[in-house]
Amino acid sequence: MALQRRLSSLLGSRFPYSASAVVGPRTFSASAEESSSSEQQQQQRVTTTLQSNGIAHVQLNRPNKLNALDMAMFEAIAETAERLASDKSVRAVILSGQGRGFSAGLDVKSVANPKNNNPLASIRTLLSKRHDNSVSNLAQDVGYLWRSVPAPVIAAIHGVCFGGGLQIALGADMRFCTPDAKLSIMEAKWGLIPDMSASVTLRELLPIDVAKELTFTGRILSGEQAAQYNLVTRCVDDPLQEAEQVALEIVEKSPDAVACAKKLYHKNWVHQSEADALHYEMELQKTLLGSWNQLAASVDNFGVSVPYMSRKNDDGKK
Amino acid sequence: MALQRRLSSLLGSRFPYSASAVVGPRTFSASAEESSSSEQQQQQRVTTTLQSNGIAHVQLNRPNKLNALDMAMFEAIAETAERLASDKSVRAVILSGQGRGFSAGLDVKSVANPKNNNPLASIRTLLSKRHDNSVSNLAQDVGYLWRSVPAPVIAAIHGVCFGGGLQIALGADMRFCTPDAKLSIMEAKWGLIPDMSASVTLRELLPIDVAKELTFTGRILSGEQAAQYNLVTRCVDDPLQEAEQVALEIVEKSPDAVACAKKLYHKNWVHQSEADALHYEMELQKTLLGSWNQLAASVDNFGVSVPYMSRKNDDGKK
Amino acid sequence: MALQRRLSSLLGSRFPYSASAVVGPRTFSASAEESSSSEQQQQQRVTTTLQSNGIAHVQLNRPNKLNALDMAMFEAIAETAERLASDKSVRAVILSGQGRGFSAGLDVKSVANPKNNNPLASIRTLLSKRHDNSVSNLAQDVGYLWRSVPAPVIAAIHGVCFGGGLQIALGADMRFCTPDAKLSIMEAKWGLIPDMSASVTLRELLPIDVAKELTFTGRILSGEQAAQYNLVTRCVDDPLQEAEQVALEIVEKSPDAVACAKKLYHKNWVHQSEADALHYEMELQKTLLGSWNQLAASVDNFGVSVPYMSRKNDDGKK
């Protein structure tokens, strides 16, 4: 609630142009809801507001279900990440949940209802649906696609952040959460493994013994414990304010340098030989050297202020 | 001592069926001891007690030598891990040391006795002996084979845990130890490197600078320091009780989900491209979806209790 | 200052033979300075003093510019690392900065002077200049080549350690720093990414979310914060004394065992399959077993003191 007030205050007072930049999630025909939600509500599964300073606020917006993931939510999140990846005016993304928590994870009742004739049909769709040439399926997209957004993505977590909800947050570049948030790698509760890209994101963050214990047991952690284990970057009283502050630091920097750093680390952190890693470092730097934004950043240190141009065209792929 | 009393108490009072499920280590002809130990004693290098709840207690059992590793001990540990890997009723393994410590490491006097004609013959045997198609030799088996056990393996460490003893513990999925335990990557003391799979297990746990400092110096750490460096998962007063508690959490979950999570992380943590990692995540999940144990776990959340079946047949290989 | 006094005291009183072992950096024709520094000054960009116990003290020596990196400094550091890599009498290296800090990073005024006709020419030289078959360019050499020195390299950091200066320190095997040191992955300030081997060294040390935040923002950390993030190994009041103490522990060990451990971890930590990692462990151990230095280390445990021989010939490559 405090988070919501904080967001409204941020959006309302400081970024008057935000309304014009709303990115609407597409509707997805396969996601017909059993509840009587109107079409308008479904279109609001995720709301995106782009501030004039390039910071996009993305909110999971199904508060009456604790932002649980039904098919429409999966589609809306993937769609949002894709749009933000191709929008060169986006300089940082803040991802949070509307209402009492970040996300309770998979909406089992909607996606795997045992009353249905084929209760696992939707889950099988999640595992098989993918774009041409994509390495990730729709289930993985909601976590993995944040990595393909050139701008840094910061998750601001409060309340529950369970299972699929946590895997969405793990796809962000940083995670801030409240001390009393509740987080869990919860899939074991359903006899499953985390399969929404956690095995790609966790390996860059945690020692494997910690990841195993949390996954085997499905234990629920407080925000403070999650920070001790580095499941979140840090624990703060107001994650949304912290995210905004870091985002403001980031938008002062060259958007090309920031995007290249993100690509560099994703590519080199795991599974890259030293020779290839060093070569990629050099190749990326060459694209930056002498470019408008690199010069703009440089002369700023000598008291000459030149505005940045939009990030270079970048398909967000590595 | 306290650990031993605790184990006896656990085994005696709570798991009356354990005696019938003892897995006996095989004898190994090449491991003739120079001391006058009886055949019976040699057969007890490692004792395994499988509780009715699926938790197996494995104890290194050469207390008069601080569980130092002679050839018989190497063979017994490898044999035990292999049997547990193929026993589908095993749901969790707790690994500890009988007597005053976990293990003092290599029994140099027995394995590399300078009085022998060929003092390094046994060590060369350790480095060359391997099963067909195995990626690990016998020296590595005692650490590495715990990874091929589908059920989680938890090491409960007290007293000394040096060199080869530590590398055994590093092969477990989690490590709990007493505050006053003593741990060391001790191989430098003998002019050697750790070669019992430490370079596979440490990389998933520690920053490289910490691993280097401990390996270069052979420094002895307290349990508390070892926990700060994440050489152990955590430091607790009663590691055996902590291990039992975590094991009890684990056996409440689907054994298939737990085994798949272990395989998933081992395969994906290092040296796997993002595309391959995502694909493996999906493939493993498909084997779980709709299976008996997955459904049993699911309906449990709706108050319907169905017993798990044994873990699916699994060769323990990745 | 205190660091400098400490070093002088160490070198003066305890290691009287040091003067005879000075390694002189070569001069580099392309590095003509715009300032009026004498040839003699340029030759002192890096000073190296090899103690009789095998510990080499390497100092960045351009104190009037906070050890900023001009072309002569790049060349001198690379040259020093190469010489130390091939000097079998070197058993440990301590790397520090003369004057008020470790290094302020790139000397932008010298290397990328906007008044020059072609201000980026020198930087392009740094990115393209490399030895035959080398995987690293000259910019990367100053960090990366410390990895090819068979003896452990310890960085002792005080004052500023920014950008390129930090990447030099990240190439060391361990880093100790003062609580009030100032460290930053500062490249974003210039619209650039860290390209002096940071993406090879950081991945072995930090969680990726921490690396991203520090890189995106270019934030300046205190030594204490840097230790919390493991950007340095630890924070101590007197890093030079700490480095000397650890180096003394190391030179008591077999130089072959230490060099093999360094090679083992560098090769296996990232991007090596489990099978290849296990095989490499075994191959390296076989080179140690039964060698003079291995036996010397072993008998020392039985009270028989035999001096080590020089490290086996080793080209420093992996």
Side-chain angles (χ1 to χ4, degrees), chain A residues 207-209, chain B residues 170 185 201-212 214-215 226-232, chain C residues 203-205 230 269:
Chain A
I208 198 172
D209 58 340
Chain B
L170 287 170
I185 303 176
T201 51
L202 284 173
R203 65 184 182 176
E204 298 172 342
L205 295 168
L206 303 185
I208 200 172
D209 57 342
V210 174
K212 284 174 176 172
L214 298 181
T215 308
Q228 281 163 21
Y229 291 145
N230 205 46
L231 201 60
V232 299
Chain C
R203 64 184 183 175
E204 298 173 341
L205 296 168
N230 205 46
W269 214 259

PDB file of all heavy atoms in Angstrom, chain A residues 207-209, chain B residues 170 185 201-212 214-215 226-232, chain C residues 203-205 230 269:
ATOM      1  N   PRO A 207      25.476 -19.210  -4.401  1.00  0.00           N
ATOM      2  CA  PRO A 207      26.171 -20.493  -4.321  1.00  0.00           C
ATOM      3  C   PRO A 207      25.158 -21.625  -4.538  1.00  0.00           C
ATOM      4  O   PRO A 207      23.991 -21.512  -4.146  1.00  0.00           O
ATOM      5  CB  PRO A 207      26.698 -20.527  -2.882  1.00  0.00           C
ATOM      6  CG  PRO A 207      26.641 -19.127  -2.390  1.00  0.00           C
ATOM      7  CD  PRO A 207      25.524 -18.461  -3.133  1.00  0.00           C
ATOM      8  N   ILE A 208      25.615 -22.710  -5.129  1.00  0.00           N
ATOM      9  CA  ILE A 208      24.692 -23.785  -5.506  1.00  0.00           C
ATOM     10  C   ILE A 208      24.075 -24.476  -4.295  1.00  0.00           C
ATOM     11  O   ILE A 208      22.936 -24.960  -4.354  1.00  0.00           O
ATOM     12  CB  ILE A 208      25.395 -24.810  -6.427  1.00  0.00           C
ATOM     13  CG1 ILE A 208      24.378 -25.669  -7.188  1.00  0.00           C
ATOM     14  CG2 ILE A 208      26.357 -25.686  -5.636  1.00  0.00           C
ATOM     15  CD1 ILE A 208      24.991 -26.570  -8.251  1.00  0.00           C
ATOM     16  N   ASP A 209      24.800 -24.528  -3.162  1.00  0.00           N
ATOM     17  CA  ASP A 209      24.218 -25.206  -1.993  1.00  0.00           C
ATOM     18  C   ASP A 209      22.991 -24.460  -1.469  1.00  0.00           C
ATOM     19  O   ASP A 209      22.010 -25.080  -1.056  1.00  0.00           O
ATOM     20  CB  ASP A 209      25.269 -25.424  -0.894  1.00  0.00           C
ATOM     21  CG  ASP A 209      25.927 -24.148  -0.403  1.00  0.00           C
ATOM     22  OD1 ASP A 209      25.880 -23.131  -1.123  1.00  0.00           O
ATOM     23  OD2 ASP A 209      26.494 -24.175   0.695  1.00  0.00           O
TER      24      ASP A 209
ATOM     25  N   LEU B 170      32.602 -31.630   0.334  1.00  0.00           N
ATOM     26  CA  LEU B 170      32.272 -30.690  -0.746  1.00  0.00           C
ATOM     27  C   LEU B 170      31.426 -31.351  -1.835  1.00  0.00           C
ATOM     28  O   LEU B 170      30.726 -30.677  -2.584  1.00  0.00           O
ATOM     29  CB  LEU B 170      33.556 -30.114  -1.359  1.00  0.00           C
ATOM     30  CG  LEU B 170      34.311 -29.101  -0.489  1.00  0.00           C
ATOM     31  CD1 LEU B 170      35.682 -28.801  -1.084  1.00  0.00           C
ATOM     32  CD2 LEU B 170      33.511 -27.809  -0.346  1.00  0.00           C
ATOM     33  N   ILE B 185      41.645 -26.891   3.245  1.00  0.00           N
ATOM     34  CA  ILE B 185      42.080 -27.402   1.936  1.00  0.00           C
ATOM     35  C   ILE B 185      43.580 -27.619   2.113  1.00  0.00           C
ATOM     36  O   ILE B 185      44.378 -26.728   1.882  1.00  0.00           O
ATOM     37  CB  ILE B 185      41.792 -26.383   0.815  1.00  0.00           C
ATOM     38  CG1 ILE B 185      40.297 -26.049   0.789  1.00  0.00           C
ATOM     39  CG2 ILE B 185      42.253 -26.935  -0.535  1.00  0.00           C
ATOM     40  CD1 ILE B 185      39.927 -24.968  -0.218  1.00  0.00           C
ATOM     41  N   THR B 201      33.682 -28.833  -7.429  1.00  0.00           N
ATOM     42  CA  THR B 201      32.711 -28.466  -6.391  1.00  0.00           C
ATOM     43  C   THR B 201      32.927 -27.049  -5.858  1.00  0.00           C
ATOM     44  O   THR B 201      31.968 -26.328  -5.597  1.00  0.00           O
ATOM     45  CB  THR B 201      32.751 -29.484  -5.239  1.00  0.00           C
ATOM     46  OG1 THR B 201      34.109 -29.677  -4.798  1.00  0.00           O
ATOM     47  CG2 THR B 201      32.208 -30.821  -5.704  1.00  0.00           C
ATOM     48  N   LEU B 202      34.184 -26.630  -5.715  1.00  0.00           N
ATOM     49  CA  LEU B 202      34.442 -25.299  -5.147  1.00  0.00           C
ATOM     50  C   LEU B 202      33.913 -24.184  -6.044  1.00  0.00           C
ATOM     51  O   LEU B 202      33.439 -23.158  -5.555  1.00  0.00           O
ATOM     52  CB  LEU B 202      35.951 -25.096  -4.938  1.00  0.00           C
ATOM     53  CG  LEU B 202      36.584 -25.816  -3.751  1.00  0.00           C
ATOM     54  CD1 LEU B 202      38.102 -25.655  -3.796  1.00  0.00           C
ATOM     55  CD2 LEU B 202      36.036 -25.297  -2.422  1.00  0.00           C
ATOM     56  N   ARG B 203      34.017 -24.363  -7.352  1.00  0.00           N
ATOM     57  CA  ARG B 203      33.613 -23.287  -8.267  1.00  0.00           C
ATOM     58  C   ARG B 203      32.131 -22.949  -8.170  1.00  0.00           C
ATOM     59  O   ARG B 203      31.705 -21.885  -8.592  1.00  0.00           O
ATOM     60  CB  ARG B 203      33.975 -23.659  -9.709  1.00  0.00           C
ATOM     61  CG  ARG B 203      33.221 -24.864 -10.247  1.00  0.00           C
ATOM     62  CD  ARG B 203      33.698 -25.236 -11.660  1.00  0.00           C
ATOM     63  NE  ARG B 203      32.948 -26.356 -12.215  1.00  0.00           N
ATOM     64  CZ  ARG B 203      33.106 -26.822 -13.453  1.00  0.00           C
ATOM     65  NH1 ARG B 203      33.990 -26.271 -14.262  1.00  0.00           N
ATOM     66  NH2 ARG B 203      32.393 -27.835 -13.891  1.00  0.00           N
ATOM     67  N   GLU B 204      31.343 -23.871  -7.663  1.00  0.00           N
ATOM     68  CA  GLU B 204      29.909 -23.605  -7.513  1.00  0.00           C
ATOM     69  C   GLU B 204      29.588 -22.945  -6.165  1.00  0.00           C
ATOM     70  O   GLU B 204      28.439 -22.619  -5.891  1.00  0.00           O
ATOM     71  CB  GLU B 204      29.118 -24.915  -7.611  1.00  0.00           C
ATOM     72  CG  GLU B 204      29.269 -25.613  -8.953  1.00  0.00           C
ATOM     73  CD  GLU B 204      28.635 -27.001  -8.965  1.00  0.00           C
ATOM     74  OE1 GLU B 204      28.390 -27.575  -7.871  1.00  0.00           O
ATOM     75  OE2 GLU B 204      28.389 -27.527 -10.052  1.00  0.00           O
ATOM     76  N   LEU B 205      30.618 -22.778  -5.328  1.00  0.00           N
ATOM     77  CA  LEU B 205      30.366 -22.354  -3.953  1.00  0.00           C
ATOM     78  C   LEU B 205      31.051 -21.052  -3.535  1.00  0.00           C
ATOM     79  O   LEU B 205      30.488 -20.264  -2.773  1.00  0.00           O
ATOM     80  CB  LEU B 205      30.825 -23.455  -2.983  1.00  0.00           C
ATOM     81  CG  LEU B 205      30.071 -24.779  -3.058  1.00  0.00           C
ATOM     82  CD1 LEU B 205      30.809 -25.848  -2.265  1.00  0.00           C
ATOM     83  CD2 LEU B 205      28.653 -24.618  -2.540  1.00  0.00           C
ATOM     84  N   LEU B 206      32.284 -20.845  -3.984  1.00  0.00           N
ATOM     85  CA  LEU B 206      33.120 -19.778  -3.439  1.00  0.00           C
ATOM     86  C   LEU B 206      33.568 -18.800  -4.513  1.00  0.00           C
ATOM     87  O   LEU B 206      33.746 -19.190  -5.659  1.00  0.00           O
ATOM     88  CB  LEU B 206      34.407 -20.361  -2.862  1.00  0.00           C
ATOM     89  CG  LEU B 206      34.369 -21.416  -1.791  1.00  0.00           C
ATOM     90  CD1 LEU B 206      35.789 -21.696  -1.331  1.00  0.00           C
ATOM     91  CD2 LEU B 206      33.524 -20.971  -0.634  1.00  0.00           C
ATOM     92  N   PRO B 207      33.883 -17.554  -4.116  1.00  0.00           N
ATOM     93  CA  PRO B 207      34.651 -16.694  -5.012  1.00  0.00           C
ATOM     94  C   PRO B 207      36.048 -17.271  -5.180  1.00  0.00           C
ATOM     95  O   PRO B 207      36.592 -17.885  -4.250  1.00  0.00           O
ATOM     96  CB  PRO B 207      34.719 -15.360  -4.255  1.00  0.00           C
ATOM     97  CG  PRO B 207      33.646 -15.415  -3.224  1.00  0.00           C
ATOM     98  CD  PRO B 207      33.473 -16.862  -2.880  1.00  0.00           C
ATOM     99  N   ILE B 208      36.642 -17.084  -6.327  1.00  0.00           N
ATOM    100  CA  ILE B 208      37.930 -17.719  -6.627  1.00  0.00           C
ATOM    101  C   ILE B 208      39.057 -17.192  -5.751  1.00  0.00           C
ATOM    102  O   ILE B 208      40.007 -17.931  -5.443  1.00  0.00           O
ATOM    103  CB  ILE B 208      38.281 -17.554  -8.128  1.00  0.00           C
ATOM    104  CG1 ILE B 208      39.322 -18.599  -8.561  1.00  0.00           C
ATOM    105  CG2 ILE B 208      38.750 -16.157  -8.434  1.00  0.00           C
ATOM    106  CD1 ILE B 208      39.584 -18.632 -10.060  1.00  0.00           C
ATOM    107  N   ASP B 209      38.987 -15.924  -5.326  1.00  0.00           N
ATOM    108  CA  ASP B 209      40.086 -15.409  -4.506  1.00  0.00           C
ATOM    109  C   ASP B 209      40.148 -16.123  -3.151  1.00  0.00           C
ATOM    110  O   ASP B 209      41.224 -16.404  -2.632  1.00  0.00           O
ATOM    111  CB  ASP B 209      39.998 -13.883  -4.336  1.00  0.00           C
ATOM    112  CG  ASP B 209      38.692 -13.409  -3.730  1.00  0.00           C
ATOM    113  OD1 ASP B 209      37.695 -14.167  -3.738  1.00  0.00           O
ATOM    114  OD2 ASP B 209      38.651 -12.270  -3.230  1.00  0.00           O
ATOM    115  N   VAL B 210      38.985 -16.420  -2.599  1.00  0.00           N
ATOM    116  CA  VAL B 210      38.935 -17.154  -1.334  1.00  0.00           C
ATOM    117  C   VAL B 210      39.488 -18.563  -1.526  1.00  0.00           C
ATOM    118  O   VAL B 210      40.312 -19.047  -0.738  1.00  0.00           O
ATOM    119  CB  VAL B 210      37.487 -17.212  -0.799  1.00  0.00           C
ATOM    120  CG1 VAL B 210      37.407 -18.100   0.435  1.00  0.00           C
ATOM    121  CG2 VAL B 210      36.975 -15.812  -0.503  1.00  0.00           C
ATOM    122  N   ALA B 211      39.052 -19.227  -2.591  1.00  0.00           N
ATOM    123  CA  ALA B 211      39.529 -20.585  -2.864  1.00  0.00           C
ATOM    124  C   ALA B 211      41.047 -20.606  -3.051  1.00  0.00           C
ATOM    125  O   ALA B 211      41.730 -21.504  -2.564  1.00  0.00           O
ATOM    126  CB  ALA B 211      38.832 -21.142  -4.101  1.00  0.00           C
ATOM    127  N   LYS B 212      41.564 -19.605  -3.759  1.00  0.00           N
ATOM    128  CA  LYS B 212      43.009 -19.547  -3.965  1.00  0.00           C
ATOM    129  C   LYS B 212      43.745 -19.371  -2.642  1.00  0.00           C
ATOM    130  O   LYS B 212      44.711 -20.084  -2.357  1.00  0.00           O
ATOM    131  CB  LYS B 212      43.354 -18.378  -4.894  1.00  0.00           C
ATOM    132  CG  LYS B 212      43.054 -18.629  -6.364  1.00  0.00           C
ATOM    133  CD  LYS B 212      43.296 -17.330  -7.151  1.00  0.00           C
ATOM    134  CE  LYS B 212      43.126 -17.512  -8.651  1.00  0.00           C
ATOM    135  NZ  LYS B 212      43.185 -16.204  -9.354  1.00  0.00           N
ATOM    136  N   LEU B 214      42.890 -20.066   0.410  1.00  0.00           N
ATOM    137  CA  LEU B 214      42.817 -21.264   1.256  1.00  0.00           C
ATOM    138  C   LEU B 214      43.668 -22.395   0.680  1.00  0.00           C
ATOM    139  O   LEU B 214      44.263 -23.168   1.429  1.00  0.00           O
ATOM    140  CB  LEU B 214      41.360 -21.718   1.405  1.00  0.00           C
ATOM    141  CG  LEU B 214      40.422 -20.712   2.080  1.00  0.00           C
ATOM    142  CD1 LEU B 214      39.022 -21.295   2.190  1.00  0.00           C
ATOM    143  CD2 LEU B 214      40.944 -20.300   3.452  1.00  0.00           C
ATOM    144  N   THR B 215      43.726 -22.509  -0.638  1.00  0.00           N
ATOM    145  CA  THR B 215      44.483 -23.592  -1.265  1.00  0.00           C
ATOM    146  C   THR B 215      45.990 -23.317  -1.234  1.00  0.00           C
ATOM    147  O   THR B 215      46.790 -24.213  -0.972  1.00  0.00           O
ATOM    148  CB  THR B 215      44.027 -23.782  -2.725  1.00  0.00           C
ATOM    149  OG1 THR B 215      42.605 -23.931  -2.752  1.00  0.00           O
ATOM    150  CG2 THR B 215      44.660 -25.030  -3.336  1.00  0.00           C
ATOM    151  N   ALA B 226      34.592 -21.001   8.167  1.00  0.00           N
ATOM    152  CA  ALA B 226      34.210 -21.768   6.980  1.00  0.00           C
ATOM    153  C   ALA B 226      32.823 -21.358   6.490  1.00  0.00           C
ATOM    154  O   ALA B 226      32.559 -21.317   5.284  1.00  0.00           O
ATOM    155  CB  ALA B 226      34.258 -23.257   7.287  1.00  0.00           C
ATOM    156  N   ALA B 227      31.933 -21.036   7.430  1.00  0.00           N
ATOM    157  CA  ALA B 227      30.587 -20.591   7.046  1.00  0.00           C
ATOM    158  C   ALA B 227      30.637 -19.197   6.423  1.00  0.00           C
ATOM    159  O   ALA B 227      29.931 -18.916   5.445  1.00  0.00           O
ATOM    160  CB  ALA B 227      29.661 -20.605   8.259  1.00  0.00           C
ATOM    161  N   GLN B 228      31.482 -18.317   6.975  1.00  0.00           N
ATOM    162  CA  GLN B 228      31.611 -16.975   6.387  1.00  0.00           C
ATOM    163  C   GLN B 228      32.081 -17.061   4.933  1.00  0.00           C
ATOM    164  O   GLN B 228      31.666 -16.275   4.092  1.00  0.00           O
ATOM    165  CB  GLN B 228      32.609 -16.140   7.181  1.00  0.00           C
ATOM    166  CG  GLN B 228      32.035 -15.556   8.461  1.00  0.00           C
ATOM    167  CD  GLN B 228      33.123 -15.090   9.414  1.00  0.00           C
ATOM    168  OE1 GLN B 228      34.240 -14.845   9.012  1.00  0.00           O
ATOM    169  NE2 GLN B 228      32.789 -14.974  10.684  1.00  0.00           N
ATOM    170  N   TYR B 229      32.978 -18.002   4.655  1.00  0.00           N
ATOM    171  CA  TYR B 229      33.496 -18.158   3.297  1.00  0.00           C
ATOM    172  C   TYR B 229      32.600 -19.040   2.431  1.00  0.00           C
ATOM    173  O   TYR B 229      32.936 -19.312   1.275  1.00  0.00           O
ATOM    174  CB  TYR B 229      34.886 -18.807   3.345  1.00  0.00           C
ATOM    175  CG  TYR B 229      35.974 -17.945   3.912  1.00  0.00           C
ATOM    176  CD1 TYR B 229      36.997 -18.501   4.669  1.00  0.00           C
ATOM    177  CD2 TYR B 229      36.003 -16.579   3.678  1.00  0.00           C
ATOM    178  CE1 TYR B 229      38.027 -17.719   5.177  1.00  0.00           C
ATOM    179  CE2 TYR B 229      37.028 -15.796   4.190  1.00  0.00           C
ATOM    180  CZ  TYR B 229      38.027 -16.371   4.937  1.00  0.00           C
ATOM    181  OH  TYR B 229      39.047 -15.600   5.425  1.00  0.00           O
ATOM    182  N   ASN B 230      31.531 -19.562   2.994  1.00  0.00           N
ATOM    183  CA  ASN B 230      30.628 -20.502   2.323  1.00  0.00           C
ATOM    184  C   ASN B 230      31.298 -21.825   1.940  1.00  0.00           C
ATOM    185  O   ASN B 230      30.834 -22.539   1.057  1.00  0.00           O
ATOM    186  CB  ASN B 230      29.969 -19.891   1.088  1.00  0.00           C
ATOM    187  CG  ASN B 230      28.650 -20.591   0.779  1.00  0.00           C
ATOM    188  OD1 ASN B 230      27.859 -20.819   1.679  1.00  0.00           O
ATOM    189  ND2 ASN B 230      28.426 -20.975  -0.461  1.00  0.00           N
ATOM    190  N   LEU B 231      32.384 -22.153   2.625  1.00  0.00           N
ATOM    191  CA  LEU B 231      32.956 -23.488   2.460  1.00  0.00           C
ATOM    192  C   LEU B 231      31.976 -24.514   3.050  1.00  0.00           C
ATOM    193  O   LEU B 231      31.915 -25.663   2.595  1.00  0.00           O
ATOM    194  CB  LEU B 231      34.301 -23.554   3.188  1.00  0.00           C
ATOM    195  CG  LEU B 231      35.294 -24.629   2.785  1.00  0.00           C
ATOM    196  CD1 LEU B 231      35.682 -24.500   1.330  1.00  0.00           C
ATOM    197  CD2 LEU B 231      36.557 -24.547   3.662  1.00  0.00           C
ATOM    198  N   VAL B 232      31.214 -24.096   4.040  1.00  0.00           N
ATOM    199  CA  VAL B 232      30.063 -24.871   4.515  1.00  0.00           C
ATOM    200  C   VAL B 232      28.825 -23.998   4.385  1.00  0.00           C
ATOM    201  O   VAL B 232      28.918 -22.767   4.370  1.00  0.00           O
ATOM    202  CB  VAL B 232      30.211 -25.330   5.987  1.00  0.00           C
ATOM    203  CG1 VAL B 232      31.421 -26.239   6.147  1.00  0.00           C
ATOM    204  CG2 VAL B 232      30.280 -24.150   6.926  1.00  0.00           C
TER     205      VAL B 232
ATOM    206  N   ARG C 203      33.557 -12.165 -13.006  1.00  0.00           N
ATOM    207  CA  ARG C 203      32.644 -13.305 -12.971  1.00  0.00           C
ATOM    208  C   ARG C 203      33.091 -14.370 -11.979  1.00  0.00           C
ATOM    209  O   ARG C 203      32.290 -15.202 -11.558  1.00  0.00           O
ATOM    210  CB  ARG C 203      32.498 -13.908 -14.369  1.00  0.00           C
ATOM    211  CG  ARG C 203      33.779 -14.507 -14.938  1.00  0.00           C
ATOM    212  CD  ARG C 203      33.586 -15.002 -16.380  1.00  0.00           C
ATOM    213  NE  ARG C 203      34.787 -15.636 -16.898  1.00  0.00           N
ATOM    214  CZ  ARG C 203      34.872 -16.236 -18.089  1.00  0.00           C
ATOM    215  NH1 ARG C 203      33.818 -16.272 -18.882  1.00  0.00           N
ATOM    216  NH2 ARG C 203      35.986 -16.794 -18.486  1.00  0.00           N
ATOM    217  N   GLU C 204      34.360 -14.383 -11.618  1.00  0.00           N
ATOM    218  CA  GLU C 204      34.853 -15.357 -10.652  1.00  0.00           C
ATOM    219  C   GLU C 204      34.714 -14.857  -9.214  1.00  0.00           C
ATOM    220  O   GLU C 204      35.039 -15.583  -8.279  1.00  0.00           O
ATOM    221  CB  GLU C 204      36.333 -15.659 -10.936  1.00  0.00           C
ATOM    222  CG  GLU C 204      36.580 -16.267 -12.305  1.00  0.00           C
ATOM    223  CD  GLU C 204      38.060 -16.396 -12.635  1.00  0.00           C
ATOM    224  OE1 GLU C 204      38.884 -15.710 -11.984  1.00  0.00           O
ATOM    225  OE2 GLU C 204      38.405 -17.179 -13.529  1.00  0.00           O
ATOM    226  N   LEU C 205      34.255 -13.609  -9.065  1.00  0.00           N
ATOM    227  CA  LEU C 205      34.284 -12.990  -7.740  1.00  0.00           C
ATOM    228  C   LEU C 205      32.949 -12.547  -7.181  1.00  0.00           C
ATOM    229  O   LEU C 205      32.702 -12.654  -5.981  1.00  0.00           O
ATOM    230  CB  LEU C 205      35.208 -11.759  -7.780  1.00  0.00           C
ATOM    231  CG  LEU C 205      36.686 -12.021  -8.066  1.00  0.00           C
ATOM    232  CD1 LEU C 205      37.402 -10.723  -8.370  1.00  0.00           C
ATOM    233  CD2 LEU C 205      37.340 -12.737  -6.892  1.00  0.00           C
ATOM    234  N   ASN C 230      32.766  -8.284  -2.010  1.00  0.00           N
ATOM    235  CA  ASN C 230      33.869  -9.134  -2.478  1.00  0.00           C
ATOM    236  C   ASN C 230      34.597  -8.586  -3.705  1.00  0.00           C
ATOM    237  O   ASN C 230      35.248  -9.306  -4.437  1.00  0.00           O
ATOM    238  CB  ASN C 230      33.423 -10.573  -2.745  1.00  0.00           C
ATOM    239  CG  ASN C 230      34.604 -11.539  -2.626  1.00  0.00           C
ATOM    240  OD1 ASN C 230      35.368 -11.447  -1.678  1.00  0.00           O
ATOM    241  ND2 ASN C 230      34.776 -12.423  -3.588  1.00  0.00           N
ATOM    242  N   TRP C 269      37.458 -22.930 -13.396  1.00  0.00           N
ATOM    243  CA  TRP C 269      36.414 -22.208 -12.643  1.00  0.00           C
ATOM    244  C   TRP C 269      35.164 -21.920 -13.472  1.00  0.00           C
ATOM    245  O   TRP C 269      34.038 -21.998 -12.994  1.00  0.00           O
ATOM    246  CB  TRP C 269      36.981 -20.904 -12.071  1.00  0.00           C
ATOM    247  CG  TRP C 269      36.380 -20.565 -10.747  1.00  0.00           C
ATOM    248  CD1 TRP C 269      35.388 -19.660 -10.505  1.00  0.00           C
ATOM    249  CD2 TRP C 269      36.711 -21.162  -9.483  1.00  0.00           C
ATOM    250  NE1 TRP C 269      35.097 -19.658  -9.172  1.00  0.00           N
ATOM    251  CE2 TRP C 269      35.893 -20.560  -8.520  1.00  0.00           C
ATOM    252  CE3 TRP C 269      37.611 -22.141  -9.075  1.00  0.00           C
ATOM    253  CZ2 TRP C 269      35.942 -20.920  -7.168  1.00  0.00           C
ATOM    254  CZ3 TRP C 269      37.674 -22.486  -7.745  1.00  0.00           C
ATOM    255  CH2 TRP C 269      36.849 -21.889  -6.808  1.00  0.00           C
TER     256      TRP C 269
END
